[in-house]
Structures are given as C-alpha cells and as structure tokens.
Amino acid sequence: MTLARIRPAADCRYDAVSLGEVMLRFDPGEGRIRTARSFNVWEGGGEYNVARGLSRTFGQRTAVATALVDNELGRLTENLILGGGVDTALINWRGFDGVGRTARNALNFTERGFGLRGAMGVSDRGHSAASQLTPDSFDWDHLFGVLGVRWLHTGGIFAGLSDTTSATAIAAMTAARRHGTIVSVDLNFRPSLFTGEADAERATRVFTQLAEHADVLVGGATDFTDRLGIAEPDSDRADRLDQLAARVLDKFAGVSLVASTVRRVHSASVNDWSARAHARDGQAVTSRDFAGLHIMDRVGGGDGFVSGLIYGLLQDKSLAEALEFGVAHGALAMTTPGDNSMASLAEVTAQVNGTGSHVQR
C-alpha cells in the first residue's frame, strides 16, 4: 500500500512535523506520586512523542509546532526537546507574567504502575501556553508550501485542549493537504479534557472534524464508536475491529488508512501487544503478536507505534512491513522509562526480523 501524495524528501525541509502540547513529565520511578521525595523529569506529549521517535530512533528530520512560556521551565522543556533531536524553530514563545496568570507550561505527573496497580497520570495543564494557540499562531502556508513537510501528525489530545486548539489543528491539516503533505491523526482521547454532557458532544464534533481532514487515522474500537459515531457490528464477531475500520473508511472518504493497536492487559506489567491496519485499497494486515510482553512503562507505547508506522510509510515499505516497524518500536518503547523510546533503528529492525532479544556482547 502506498500513500500517493508523499512528497520527495529532497523537496522538503522536514520529514515530519507534530502539532501538539509538550509537557514536563515528573516520574516518581517505582514509587507513588503521593509519597514521592524526588522525581525524574522527562518531556512528553501525545503528538510530540511521535516527532521525537521519528528523529531519535529513525533518523528523520522533525520539528514540533507548539507553545511554551519563556521562563526556566519553558527553557528546560526546550532543552529536552533539543536533546531528542527535534527542531524547536516552530515553538511559539509566550511572555511570563511572574506567576502564570495568563499562560503557563504544562506539567504531567505519571506513575508507571506495576502488577495489579495500573499506571496513573495527573495532569496540571490548565491555561497552558499550548492550549491558547490559534489558527494564526503559525504561518501554515510558509511551513508547508515554502519550507516543505512530508508528513504532519496531530491528535485528539491537542485538539481537546480548547476550542482554539481544535480550530488550529483543522487549519494546519487543511493547509498541509493543500500543499501535498500527508496528515495523520491519533484519536487519543483523554476524559479529563472532556467532562459533562456538553463536552461529550464537543468530543464527537472535534474528533469527527479531525477524521474529515486526515489521510491516516490511528485509533481503537471505542474511538470509532464513541467519538466518530460508527455503528457497532450487528454481532459480537471476532472480526469486530475489521468491520469497524471498514465503516470508518466508508464514512470518511479522505481517509486512506486506519491503524489500531490491540492490547490485552494481563497486569500493568504484562500485556499482549499487536496491531492491525486497513487500507482503502482493500489491504488488511496484522502484525506479529508480542504475547506476554513485559512492560516497564506503558506510557508512550502507542506513540512509539505511530512513529514506527510513519517511518515505514515514509520509506515506501509495504503496509505489512510498516506495521511491523510500528508495533516493534512501540513494544521497545514500553521496556524503558519515560514517554519516549530509547531504542535504536538497529534494535527495532532486529525485532522486525525476529532476532531482537539475543544478548549483544
């Protein structure tokens, strides 16, 4: 399967740009937030993590379009982004008023979980700089038309931050497609961003708009039914996900590919992990099943999957092989702490080839 509009690398400044919020993640390690005396600090964000994976693991030229407040926390976040090999030229810097009344940098406190105790995140992101981005915060035609971008990635987390961020996502996606850039959307849903009956309606509206402007959709069964209004299959058949993906492709004529990770949770430390993809040309492929995968930190596994999938498609690999790169990279990302993968391309390739767990000396 090929995406016909992928632009040549030589014509573009960036292989991929992510549009989303970048947070400082405070990680208490093996402990709990409520009893912590120290934290490791990482950078992370559902959309940003994809750009970082593409840069650090897969050697692609990436940038993140976001906003930060210009204070010490913002500059710490910038330094972490730079350490991930992601270009910071598209950061929209906001002035600091001394206490964060008008804008602040987002924080995310996250426990990894272990055994029967699941992972848990506590976000502190209200009134963040990224949540105040508007469609005119960036010159989209300059980015996509003059500089050139092969792939734009955004998602439901960024679009859910505020009414202006959903409008910003649509503006970016519209401009990207106008200039021949492939657009992917992760339908990642955070209940903390959508509360109450009115917000349930807003979630349906926002996610439907995202799907209407995407070439590639990444999501699961509940994303399709609860956010996109896709009708459930008539019976509880084993191919439920296949039927739902086919209905997504029927409803959204601009979507060329639907991809889903499939996770069966035995405990916070052991999951079964695989992926499935459905293309408009009729292809339906399933990845290797990482049964009984031992997990150190599951946060960011889905983002690792997306970056591996995008890498494979940018490299003009077959859909089946691109899916394997996605699921292997996501699996490796969950074996180390932090949102982001610490894997090398060689390690991902070894997993794709079935030789990745041997001792290296």
Side-chain angles (χ1 to χ4, degrees), residues 149-169:
V149 181
R150 303 178 74 199
W151 197 292
L152 170 69
H153 179 72
T154 191
I157 297 176
F158 174 71
L161 293 176
S162 68
D163 288 340
T164 65
T165 58
S166 60
T168 301

Side-chain angles (χ1 to χ4, degrees), residues 168-228:
T168 301
I170 298 305
M173 296 164 75
T174 301
R177 297 181 91 183
R178 184 166 63 245
H179 291 287
T181 299
I182 298 296
V183 175
S184 61
V185 170
D186 191 336
L187 298 170
N188 37 25
F189 175 75
R190 296 293 182 268
S192 58
L193 299 177
F194 298 92
T195 57
E197 183 176 349
D199 268 355
E201 296 172 357
R202 182 171 72 91
T204 298
R205 182 178 69 255
V206 167
F207 279 73
T208 298
Q209 289 176 338
L210 291 175
E212 289 171 345
H213 292 81
D215 297 291
V216 177
L217 283 181
V218 180
T222 55
D223 299 312
F224 303 149
T225 58
D226 294 356
R227 259 73 70 186
L228 298 184

